[in-house]
Amino acid sequence: MNLALDRFAEDNAIIDELVFWPPKPTPIRRVRACSSMFRKPFIEVEMLDGHTFQRHFARDRFADEWARAVVVLETLTDIELVDELRVPPPPDAERLRGEALAVRAECIAECEPMYDQGMYQQYLLQFGPNCRDLPTTTLARIEYARTALAG
């Protein structure tokens, strides 16, 4: 969910690179994290249409930010994550997962007035194409908003 990811982007440079405003219509297929001895660590992002791009990061925080990003991204998105670093989960992984779910619930509640007012385009922008495990009611509203905008 783009709005929820945006809240985590403030504290995580990796997540920040994956949040697009407005959201890209093409979903992210895979994010691969790499760190080698002779290069700056980076992520490689592959979009569903095959387009790829890389973003480089400072070495000192990369492993920690990647570990935290994995927890948030696995909780909120359907993006395939490829970890070439082999970093362990952060010690507070369960707390972070719970926080991600709570932030998602808050963001869904924030979006509902947009839907109720018929602001379907703005409503859809809050989600983006890579959502995971949204509530049934929210999925139905997303489908209705898409249908209303299409026809």
Side-chain angles (χ1 to χ4, degrees):
M1 182 172 176
N2 220 36
L3 184 58
L5 288 178
D6 193 47
R7 294 210 184 149
F8 288 97
E10 295 175 17
D11 297 323
N12 190 297
I14 294 169
I15 293 174
D16 186 49
E17 290 296 334
L18 303 176
V19 175
F20 306 103
W21 289 107
K24 292 182 182 278
T26 304
I28 296 172
R29 181 169 124 30
R30 174 180 30 221
V31 176
R32 181 174 66 100
C34 301
S35 183
S36 70
M37 207 179 274
F38 304 109
R39 288 180 67 182
K40 289 175 79 173
F42 66 94
I43 59 170
E44 180 179 77
V45 179
E46 180 184 345
M47 307 301 286
L48 191 60
D49 64 6
H51 173 74
T52 61
F53 62 91
Q54 290 183 356
R55 296 292 186 264
H56 294 266
F57 300 90
R59 186 172 298 283
D60 62 336
R61 295 197 34 128
F62 185 72
D64 180 57
E65 288 196 0
W66 174 251
R68 298 180 70 70
V70 166
V71 173
V72 171
L73 294 170
E74 285 180 342
T75 303
L76 299 179
T77 75
D78 59 0
I79 298 169
E80 177 187 351
L81 303 173
V82 178
D83 184 355
E84 294 186 4
L85 306 176
R86 310 285 187 247
V87 295
D92 63 342
E94 284 308 310
R95 184 201 60 75
L96 185 56
R97 191 176 333 280
E99 181 183 344
L101 292 172
V103 166
R104 181 180 71 186
E106 289 171 17
C107 290
I108 289 171
E110 279 181 33
C111 298
E112 295 308 309
M114 290 178 209
Y115 179 88
D116 294 340
Q117 295 295 319
M119 300 168 61
Y120 300 135
Q121 184 65 43
Q122 291 84 350
Y123 179 76
L124 293 174
L125 290 175
Q126 308 311 304
F127 293 92
N130 283 108
C131 298
R132 165 179 271 157
D133 300 332
L134 290 174
T136 306
T137 305
T138 303
L139 290 172
R141 287 179 168 225
I142 288 171
E143 185 58 35
Y144 182 86
R146 285 182 181 146
T147 302
L149 289 171

Short mmCIF file of all heavy atoms in Angstrom, two decimals, residues 27-56:
data_model
loop_
_atom_site.label_atom_id
_atom_site.label_comp_id
_atom_site.label_asym_id
_atom_site.label_seq_id
_atom_site.Cartn_x
_atom_site.Cartn_y
_atom_site.Cartn_z
N PRO A 27 3.30 -2.80 -11.71
CA PRO A 27 3.76 -3.32 -10.41
C PRO A 27 5.26 -3.63 -10.42
O PRO A 27 5.85 -3.92 -11.46
CB PRO A 27 2.96 -4.61 -10.23
CG PRO A 27 1.85 -4.56 -11.21
CD PRO A 27 2.30 -3.68 -12.33
N ILE A 28 5.83 -3.58 -9.24
CA ILE A 28 7.20 -4.05 -9.05
C ILE A 28 7.14 -5.57 -8.93
O ILE A 28 6.36 -6.11 -8.15
CB ILE A 28 7.82 -3.44 -7.77
CG1 ILE A 28 7.94 -1.93 -7.90
CG2 ILE A 28 9.19 -4.08 -7.49
CD1 ILE A 28 8.36 -1.23 -6.61
N ARG A 29 7.94 -6.24 -9.73
CA ARG A 29 7.97 -7.71 -9.69
C ARG A 29 8.94 -8.21 -8.63
O ARG A 29 8.63 -9.08 -7.86
CB ARG A 29 8.36 -8.27 -11.06
CG ARG A 29 8.38 -9.79 -11.11
CD ARG A 29 8.50 -10.28 -12.54
NE ARG A 29 9.53 -11.15 -12.95
CZ ARG A 29 10.19 -12.08 -12.27
NH1 ARG A 29 9.98 -12.22 -11.00
NH2 ARG A 29 11.09 -12.84 -12.81
N ARG A 30 10.15 -7.63 -8.63
CA ARG A 30 11.18 -8.14 -7.74
C ARG A 30 12.13 -7.03 -7.32
O ARG A 30 12.43 -6.13 -8.10
CB ARG A 30 11.97 -9.23 -8.47
CG ARG A 30 13.15 -9.74 -7.69
CD ARG A 30 13.97 -10.81 -8.36
NE ARG A 30 13.99 -10.77 -9.79
CZ ARG A 30 13.93 -11.85 -10.57
NH1 ARG A 30 13.84 -13.03 -10.05
NH2 ARG A 30 13.97 -11.72 -11.87
N VAL A 31 12.61 -7.14 -6.09
CA VAL A 31 13.67 -6.27 -5.60
C VAL A 31 14.79 -7.19 -5.10
O VAL A 31 14.56 -8.06 -4.28
CB VAL A 31 13.20 -5.35 -4.45
CG1 VAL A 31 14.37 -4.54 -3.90
CG2 VAL A 31 12.09 -4.43 -4.91
N ARG A 32 15.97 -6.95 -5.64
CA ARG A 32 17.14 -7.77 -5.27
C ARG A 32 18.13 -6.86 -4.56
O ARG A 32 18.48 -5.79 -5.06
CB ARG A 32 17.76 -8.35 -6.54
CG ARG A 32 18.97 -9.23 -6.29
CD ARG A 32 19.42 -9.88 -7.60
NE ARG A 32 19.93 -8.94 -8.57
CZ ARG A 32 21.22 -8.72 -8.79
NH1 ARG A 32 22.14 -9.37 -8.12
NH2 ARG A 32 21.60 -7.85 -9.71
N ALA A 33 18.58 -7.29 -3.39
CA ALA A 33 19.57 -6.53 -2.62
C ALA A 33 20.94 -7.16 -2.78
O ALA A 33 21.09 -8.37 -2.63
CB ALA A 33 19.19 -6.50 -1.15
N CYS A 34 21.95 -6.35 -3.09
CA CYS A 34 23.31 -6.83 -3.32
C CYS A 34 24.31 -5.95 -2.58
O CYS A 34 24.15 -4.74 -2.53
CB CYS A 34 23.65 -6.80 -4.80
SG CYS A 34 22.56 -7.78 -5.81
N SER A 35 25.33 -6.59 -2.10
CA SER A 35 26.43 -5.85 -1.50
C SER A 35 27.70 -6.64 -1.79
O SER A 35 27.78 -7.83 -1.52
CB SER A 35 26.23 -5.74 0.01
OG SER A 35 27.26 -4.97 0.58
N SER A 36 28.66 -5.97 -2.39
CA SER A 36 29.92 -6.63 -2.68
C SER A 36 31.05 -5.81 -2.07
O SER A 36 30.86 -4.67 -1.65
CB SER A 36 30.12 -6.78 -4.19
OG SER A 36 30.35 -5.51 -4.77
N MET A 37 32.21 -6.39 -2.07
CA MET A 37 33.35 -5.74 -1.44
C MET A 37 33.79 -4.47 -2.18
O MET A 37 34.26 -3.53 -1.60
CB MET A 37 34.50 -6.73 -1.37
CG MET A 37 35.45 -6.47 -0.25
SD MET A 37 36.76 -7.68 -0.22
CE MET A 37 36.00 -8.96 0.74
N PHE A 38 33.62 -4.46 -3.49
CA PHE A 38 34.20 -3.39 -4.30
C PHE A 38 33.20 -2.38 -4.85
O PHE A 38 33.58 -1.49 -5.59
CB PHE A 38 34.99 -4.02 -5.46
CG PHE A 38 36.04 -4.97 -4.98
CD1 PHE A 38 35.90 -6.33 -5.18
CD2 PHE A 38 37.16 -4.51 -4.29
CE1 PHE A 38 36.86 -7.22 -4.72
CE2 PHE A 38 38.12 -5.38 -3.82
CZ PHE A 38 37.97 -6.75 -4.04
N ARG A 39 31.94 -2.53 -4.52
CA ARG A 39 30.91 -1.60 -4.98
C ARG A 39 30.07 -1.15 -3.82
O ARG A 39 29.97 -1.84 -2.81
CB ARG A 39 29.97 -2.30 -5.98
CG ARG A 39 30.56 -2.58 -7.31
CD ARG A 39 29.55 -3.26 -8.21
NE ARG A 39 28.45 -2.36 -8.53
CZ ARG A 39 27.42 -2.72 -9.28
NH1 ARG A 39 27.31 -3.94 -9.75
NH2 ARG A 39 26.47 -1.85 -9.55
N LYS A 40 29.42 -0.02 -4.00
CA LYS A 40 28.44 0.40 -3.01
C LYS A 40 27.28 -0.59 -3.04
O LYS A 40 26.91 -1.08 -4.11
CB LYS A 40 27.93 1.80 -3.34
CG LYS A 40 28.95 2.90 -3.11
CD LYS A 40 28.43 4.24 -3.57
CE LYS A 40 27.51 4.80 -2.53
NZ LYS A 40 27.09 6.19 -2.84
N PRO A 41 26.67 -0.88 -1.89
CA PRO A 41 25.50 -1.77 -1.90
C PRO A 41 24.38 -1.15 -2.72
O PRO A 41 24.28 0.07 -2.82
CB PRO A 41 25.13 -1.90 -0.43
CG PRO A 41 25.96 -0.96 0.32
CD PRO A 41 27.00 -0.39 -0.58
N PHE A 42 23.54 -2.00 -3.27
CA PHE A 42 22.46 -1.50 -4.11
C PHE A 42 21.27 -2.44 -4.10
O PHE A 42 21.37 -3.58 -3.68
CB PHE A 42 22.95 -1.29 -5.55
CG PHE A 42 23.34 -2.56 -6.28
CD1 PHE A 42 22.42 -3.23 -7.08
CD2 PHE A 42 24.62 -3.07 -6.17
CE1 PHE A 42 22.77 -4.39 -7.75
CE2 PHE A 42 24.99 -4.22 -6.83
CZ PHE A 42 24.06 -4.89 -7.63
N ILE A 43 20.16 -1.89 -4.56
CA ILE A 43 19.00 -2.71 -4.86
C ILE A 43 18.79 -2.63 -6.37
O ILE A 43 19.06 -1.60 -6.99
CB ILE A 43 17.72 -2.29 -4.11
CG1 ILE A 43 17.32 -0.85 -4.43
CG2 ILE A 43 17.87 -2.54 -2.62
CD1 ILE A 43 15.94 -0.45 -3.91
N GLU A 44 18.33 -3.72 -6.91
CA GLU A 44 17.93 -3.76 -8.32
C GLU A 44 16.44 -4.03 -8.33
O GLU A 44 15.98 -5.02 -7.75
CB GLU A 44 18.68 -4.86 -9.06
CG GLU A 44 18.30 -4.95 -10.51
CD GLU A 44 19.07 -6.04 -11.21
OE1 GLU A 44 18.71 -7.22 -11.00
OE2 GLU A 44 20.03 -5.71 -11.91
N VAL A 45 15.70 -3.14 -8.95
CA VAL A 45 14.24 -3.22 -8.98
C VAL A 45 13.82 -3.63 -10.38
O VAL A 45 14.18 -2.98 -11.36
CB VAL A 45 13.60 -1.87 -8.59
CG1 VAL A 45 12.08 -1.96 -8.64
CG2 VAL A 45 14.09 -1.43 -7.22
N GLU A 46 13.05 -4.70 -10.46
CA GLU A 46 12.51 -5.16 -11.74
C GLU A 46 11.01 -4.97 -11.74
O GLU A 46 10.30 -5.47 -10.86
CB GLU A 46 12.83 -6.63 -11.97
CG GLU A 46 12.29 -7.16 -13.28
CD GLU A 46 12.53 -8.65 -13.46
OE1 GLU A 46 13.34 -9.23 -12.73
OE2 GLU A 46 11.85 -9.23 -14.33
N MET A 47 10.54 -4.22 -12.72
CA MET A 47 9.10 -3.98 -12.86
C MET A 47 8.48 -5.16 -13.61
O MET A 47 9.18 -5.92 -14.28
CB MET A 47 8.86 -2.68 -13.62
CG MET A 47 9.58 -1.45 -13.03
SD MET A 47 9.15 -1.08 -11.33
CE MET A 47 7.52 -0.41 -11.54
N LEU A 48 7.18 -5.31 -13.51
CA LEU A 48 6.50 -6.42 -14.18
C LEU A 48 6.67 -6.38 -15.69
O LEU A 48 6.71 -7.41 -16.35
CB LEU A 48 5.00 -6.42 -13.81
CG LEU A 48 4.22 -7.65 -14.21
CD1 LEU A 48 4.79 -8.90 -13.55
CD2 LEU A 48 2.75 -7.49 -13.83
N ASP A 49 6.84 -5.18 -16.26
CA ASP A 49 7.02 -5.05 -17.71
C ASP A 49 8.46 -5.32 -18.15
O ASP A 49 8.79 -5.19 -19.32
CB ASP A 49 6.56 -3.68 -18.20
CG ASP A 49 7.39 -2.52 -17.64
OD1 ASP A 49 8.41 -2.76 -16.94
OD2 ASP A 49 7.01 -1.36 -17.89
N GLY A 50 9.35 -5.68 -17.20
CA GLY A 50 10.72 -6.01 -17.54
C GLY A 50 11.70 -4.87 -17.34
O GLY A 50 12.91 -5.09 -17.32
N HIS A 51 11.23 -3.64 -17.20
CA HIS A 51 12.12 -2.50 -16.96
C HIS A 51 12.82 -2.69 -15.61
O HIS A 51 12.19 -3.10 -14.63
CB HIS A 51 11.30 -1.20 -16.95
CG HIS A 51 12.09 -0.01 -16.55
ND1 HIS A 51 13.01 0.59 -17.38
CD2 HIS A 51 12.11 0.70 -15.40
CE1 HIS A 51 13.56 1.61 -16.75
NE2 HIS A 51 13.02 1.70 -15.55
N THR A 52 14.12 -2.42 -15.57
CA THR A 52 14.86 -2.52 -14.31
C THR A 52 15.62 -1.23 -14.03
O THR A 52 15.97 -0.49 -14.96
CB THR A 52 15.88 -3.69 -14.32
OG1 THR A 52 16.84 -3.47 -15.35
CG2 THR A 52 15.19 -5.03 -14.52
N PHE A 53 15.87 -0.97 -12.77
CA PHE A 53 16.72 0.14 -12.37
C PHE A 53 17.41 -0.22 -11.07
O PHE A 53 16.97 -1.11 -10.34
CB PHE A 53 15.93 1.46 -12.26
CG PHE A 53 14.85 1.46 -11.22
CD1 PHE A 53 15.11 1.88 -9.92
CD2 PHE A 53 13.55 1.10 -11.55
CE1 PHE A 53 14.11 1.90 -8.96
CE2 PHE A 53 12.54 1.12 -10.60
CZ PHE A 53 12.82 1.52 -9.31
N GLN A 54 18.52 0.46 -10.81
CA GLN A 54 19.29 0.23 -9.59
C GLN A 54 19.38 1.52 -8.79
O GLN A 54 19.40 2.61 -9.35
CB GLN A 54 20.71 -0.23 -9.91
CG GLN A 54 20.81 -1.60 -10.48
CD GLN A 54 22.26 -2.03 -10.70
OE1 GLN A 54 23.18 -1.26 -10.48
NE2 GLN A 54 22.43 -3.26 -11.13
N ARG A 55 19.48 1.35 -7.48
CA ARG A 55 19.72 2.46 -6.56
C ARG A 55 20.83 2.03 -5.60
O ARG A 55 20.76 0.95 -5.03
CB ARG A 55 18.47 2.83 -5.77
CG ARG A 55 17.32 3.33 -6.62
CD ARG A 55 17.65 4.69 -7.23
NE ARG A 55 16.53 5.25 -7.93
CZ ARG A 55 16.32 5.15 -9.24
NH1 ARG A 55 17.16 4.49 -10.00
NH2 ARG A 55 15.28 5.71 -9.81
N HIS A 56 21.81 2.90 -5.43
CA HIS A 56 22.95 2.62 -4.55
C HIS A 56 22.77 3.31 -3.20
O HIS A 56 22.14 4.36 -3.12
CB HIS A 56 24.25 3.08 -5.22
CG HIS A 56 24.57 2.31 -6.45
ND1 HIS A 56 25.38 1.21 -6.44
CD2 HIS A 56 24.14 2.43 -7.73
CE1 HIS A 56 25.46 0.71 -7.65
NE2 HIS A 56 24.71 1.43 -8.45
#
